[in-house]
């Protein structure tokens, strides 16, 4: 999967400054939130900076494809606004949410085994399925034409770049193989992006020293 993940030219044309650090963590047993993971959330709240200029950059990116960032907020914006009351979800989700808040960076976490084909960041046609199943009742919606979305062969995995994840690929307590997407726009330095990735991998290794981690930077100087 890692070497096959792509960002299409249409997205690169929209934001040439976009870069994503992709991390896979395989053989990482998850489980319910514990004292360590909730302590990470508490510590992150103390370091949260809702005024970080990276948030404004994401608002600008959302407006560029027609989204209203104050109605459907970038994920990091939404987390920072409720940093003092972040819910504990499970150990792995707590880990990447803490990294997102501390580093003012959108971080997505996915169940790698739930993917059908590689992840790719595209401008939507508008007919792609997006799974919003809840309470056992199947439900599907569709993105707006031109919306920036992550998708695989089965449909959209995250709408509006990093706003809302589909149900199918969410990390649960039984997930063992994980995919993380750490997304950056200027003026966020690439060194800061790499530092956030190092922070995340350190937390994942704290959860399971035997985890197998690989990473790849897409964007930045390689474009």
């Amino acid at each position: 999967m890692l070497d096959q993940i792509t960002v299409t030219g249409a997205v690169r044309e929209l934001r040439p400054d976009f870069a994503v650090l992709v991390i896979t963590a395989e053989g990482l047993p998850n489980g319910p939130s514990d004292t360590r993971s909730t302590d990470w959330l508490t510590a992150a709240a103390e370091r949260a900076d809702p005024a970080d200029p990276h948030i404004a950059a994401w608002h600008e990116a959302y407006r560029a494809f027609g989204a209203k960032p104050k109605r459907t907020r970038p994920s990091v914006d939404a987390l920072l606004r409720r940093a003092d009351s972040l819910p504990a979800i499970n150990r792995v989700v707590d880990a990447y949410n803490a990294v997102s808040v501390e580093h003012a960076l959108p971080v997505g976490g996915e169940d790698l085994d739930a993917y059908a084909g590689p992840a790719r960041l595209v401008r939507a046609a508008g007919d792609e399925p997006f799974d919003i199943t809840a309470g056992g009742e199947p439900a599907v919606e569709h993105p707006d034409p031109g919306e920036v979305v992550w998708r695989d062969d089965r449909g959209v995995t995250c709408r509006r770049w990093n706003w809302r994840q589909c149900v199918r690929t969410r990390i649960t307590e039984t997930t063992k193989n994980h995919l993380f997407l750490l997304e950056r726009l200027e003026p966020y330095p690439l060194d800061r992006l790499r530092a956030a990735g190092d922070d995340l991998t350190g937390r994942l290794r704290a959860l399971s020293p035997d985890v197998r981690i690989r990473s790849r930077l897409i964007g930045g100087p390689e474009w």
Side-chain angles (χ1 to χ4, degrees), residues 125-169:
D127 58 354
E128 301 91 340
F130 179 72
D131 177 16
I132 56 170
T133 297
E137 293 296 324
V140 172
E141 64 181 30
H142 303 279
D144 298 324
E147 183 179 324
V148 177
V149 299
W150 282 100
R151 66 158 302 164
D152 65 2
D153 292 346
R154 286 182 58 184
V156 173
T157 55
C158 191
R159 285 196 60 188
R160 294 182 187 154
W161 220 316
N162 47 49
W163 165 60
R164 186 181 182 190
Q165 183 182 29
C166 80
V167 173
R168 171 170 57 91
T169 61

Side-chain angles (χ1 to χ4, degrees), residues 21 46 58 69-70 75 81 90 96 104 106 127 145 176 192 204-205 207 220:
L21 180 61
E46 295 173 355
W58 277 104
K70 292 186 177 181
S75 65
R81 286 175 176 271
N90 57 59
Y96 78 74
D127 58 354
K176 291 182 173 58
R192 190 179 175 192
L204 300 179
R205 287 197 168 98
L207 295 176

Side-chain angles (χ1 to χ4, degrees), residues 23 28 30 37 40-41 44 75-76 79 86 89-111 165 169-172 178-182 196 199-201 203-204 207:
I23 297 174
L28 172 61
N30 199 6
S37 72
W40 285 338
L41 295 175
S75 65
V76 64
L79 284 175
L86 287 175
I89 308 298
N90 57 59
R91 287 184 298 197
V92 172
V93 173
D94 295 349
Y96 78 74
N97 278 344
V99 169
S100 179
V101 168
E102 286 196 28
H103 294 268
L105 182 74
V107 180
E110 308 272 335
D111 187 328
Q165 183 182 29
T169 61
R170 286 179 182 171
I171 289 176
T172 69
H178 310 256
L179 169 69
F180 302 97
L181 303 166
L182 289 70
D199 188 1
L200 178 59
T201 58
R203 295 174 197 246
L204 300 179
L207 295 176

Side-chain angles (χ1 to χ4, degrees), residues 27-43:
L28 172 61
N30 199 6
S33 299
D34 55 20
T35 301
R36 174 167 45 192
S37 72
T38 55
D39 284 349
W40 285 338
L41 295 175
T42 300

Side-chain angles (χ1 to χ4, degrees), residues 50 59 70 73 76-85:
H59 284 194
K70 292 186 177 181
R73 295 185 181 276
V76 64
D77 185 11
L79 284 175
L80 283 169
R81 286 175 176 271
R82 55 193 180 104
D84 291 335
S85 58

